[in-house]
Amino acid sequence: MKKVFKKNLSNKFPTKDITFDDRKNKLPLSTSNRRRIVDLGNGVKFGSKNIPIIAGPNGVESHNLMVNVAKTLIKNKIKIIRGHAYKPLTFPYRSKQYKETMDEGMDIMDDIKKNFDLKVVTEITEIQYLDRVCRTADILQIGSRNMQNLELLREVALTKKPIILKRHFGASLRDLLGAAEHILIENNNNLILCERGVSIPHTHKDTSRFALDIQAIPALKEICNYPVISDPSHASFWAPWVPSLTLASIAAGCDGLIIEIHKNPKKSAVDPLQPLNFNQFDKLIKQSRKISKAINRSI
Ligand code: PEP
Ligand code: MN
């Protein structure tokens, strides 16, 4: 880890929330006033008037699935496809149908990029996969469980690729920005912060593990000038709630969205209750365009 020594750094007044002292001494880069736009080229920008949507299944399960997803995105004029090839699971046990396609999954994504005008987001779970993932991905996603994996953050930052840093479901915004600071200090400003739901005592449904912290969106945007995106799919774990949470995120000022979609959600190898099917996605994109227009933004 990079060691930066500071004169006035004090831990005498530890806090849960972000103080002015934190802004000055602990979070100087993430809370600096400079407006940051993450520009992927080809008109895809996070942090400006347009709100890019990232959509796709949880995992790159098969070539066929990704082609179907890609066609749906192109039809809706969406420019970023997602799908993980290297996937950690909450529990070490897996069903036979669970597919961690690894390098083969990245080859599938290469093929998608060759045939469709799409950018690729995929999760990086371990440093050992970094070279392979970087050859394909336009944005590297740090999953919520790795938010404070500082060694991984550093190595990913050094690639200079755009990074989506997801907030851990138990972490404060102060912790999130602390993790972000580890990326920024390596001179990688291509940072996108992601709200993906937090653990709370009641999630209003037994299959819903987290609750989207809508308030985190304006709170982050108040103190930090990096793009803030929202992931209603992983927050709610429940497809019927994803449309309202998406629209609420846009209204709250998010700079992008992650939406899980699948050709046949019931057959999704992981989290089958969570992805929207293609028809639901088409409808949501239409509604999202209306809401974004109402607040002078676009999708
Ligand atoms: C995902 O994006 O598929 C994912 C597992 O996200 P998270 O790290 O937020 O759980
Ligand atoms: Mn997922």
Side-chain angles (χ1 to χ4, degrees):
M1 283 300 114
K2 201 171 223 170
K3 290 191 182 73
V4 182
F5 296 101
K6 281 202 162 201
K7 245 204 206 146
N8 298 321
L9 206 57
S10 143
N11 282 316
K12 272 191 230 150
F13 309 105
T15 54
K16 183 157 75 73
D17 294 321
I18 299 165
T19 61
F20 279 105
D21 177 66
D22 286 338
R23 289 201 203 186
K24 205 164 113 209
N25 292 311
K26 297 194 176 115
L27 305 170
L29 304 174
S30 52
T31 64
S32 97
N33 284 335
R34 216 169 129 192
R35 173 118 187 265
R36 300 290 185 176
I37 289 176
V38 177
D39 189 346
L40 302 191
N42 232 357
V44 187
K45 274 189 206 166
F46 288 84
S48 64
K49 183 177 171 181
N50 186 258
I51 304 170
I53 302 218
I54 301 164
N58 177 75
V60 183
E61 293 174 21
S62 68
H63 187 266
N64 187 264
L65 173 64
M66 298 317 290
V67 168
N68 280 299
V69 168
K71 285 183 177 162
T72 299
L73 300 192
I74 296 291
K75 190 180 94 187
N76 281 291
K77 298 196 170 53
I78 299 303
K79 294 182 176 160
I80 315 175
I81 193 166
R82 57 156 274 148
H84 305 327
Y86 309 86
K87 267 306 294 173
L89 293 173
T90 302
F91 304 102
Y93 316 108
R94 52 188 70 195
S95 67
K96 280 232 172 78
Q97 111 219 62
Y98 176 78
K99 292 191 192 83
E100 189 179 20
T101 44
M102 305 186 86
D103 292 0
E104 195 192 319
M106 285 291 97
D107 295 345
I108 293 174
M109 284 303 216
D110 277 341
D111 200 59
I112 294 295
K113 281 180 82 164
K114 223 189 286 161
N115 291 297
F116 300 90
D117 186 16
L118 290 168
K119 307 279 181 194
V120 164
V121 175
T122 197
E123 182 169 345
I124 177 77
T125 53
E126 292 185 39
I127 293 168
Q128 57 170 318
Y129 305 133
L130 202 53
D131 282 348
R132 178 63 197 92
V133 169
C134 278
R135 269 189 269 139
T136 303
D138 298 285
I139 305 182
L140 303 173
Q141 177 174 311
I142 303 279
S144 51
R145 290 157 188 83
N146 271 318
M147 185 196 88
Q148 283 181 323
N149 183 341
L150 305 182
E151 207 60 46
L152 182 67
L153 293 186
R154 179 182 137 83
E155 292 301 321
V156 170
L158 289 173
T159 68
K160 302 287 184 243
K161 287 252 184 198
I163 300 171
I164 291 177
L165 177 64
K166 285 189 150 195
R167 173 155 76 122
H168 184 270
F169 33 85
S172 63
L173 299 187
R174 188 173 187 261
D175 291 338
L176 172 67
L177 294 185
E181 207 72 18
H182 280 273
I183 292 172
L184 301 173
I185 207 158
E186 302 299 342
N187 293 320
N188 186 340
N189 288 314
N190 286 314
L191 174 69
I192 299 164
L193 301 167
C194 179
E195 164 55 30
R196 53 79 71 214
V198 288
S199 291
I200 58 169
H202 304 282
T203 52
H204 323 303
K205 186 169 178 70
D206 55 3
T207 53
S208 196
R209 288 159 70 192
F210 309 104
L212 187 65
D213 183 358
I214 287 277
Q215 191 166 318
I217 299 169
L220 273 172
K221 294 191 59 130
E222 192 172 273
I223 48 169
C224 162
N225 275 312
Y226 285 86
V228 177
I229 67 171
S230 171
D231 178 349
S233 300
H234 290 86
S236 67
F237 254 68
W238 182 235
W241 293 353
V242 168
S244 15
L245 296 175
T246 300
L247 303 179
S249 297
I250 296 169
C254 76
D255 299 306
L257 285 146
I258 297 179
I259 313 279
E260 247 184 48
I261 65 173
H262 197 284
K263 183 162 193 266
N264 185 349
K266 280 200 193 105
K267 292 247 168 84
S268 173
V270 254
D271 305 334
L273 303 179
Q274 178 179 305
L276 298 184
N277 66 32
F278 294 166
N279 285 337
Q280 292 165 335
F281 182 67
D282 292 350
K283 194 171 156 212
L284 177 58
I285 293 301
K286 285 196 188 88
Q287 291 175 327
S288 300
R289 289 203 159 106
K290 281 191 198 153
I291 297 285
S292 59
K293 205 167 157 205
I295 55 161
N296 199 26
R297 296 192 74 178
S298 64
I299 285 178

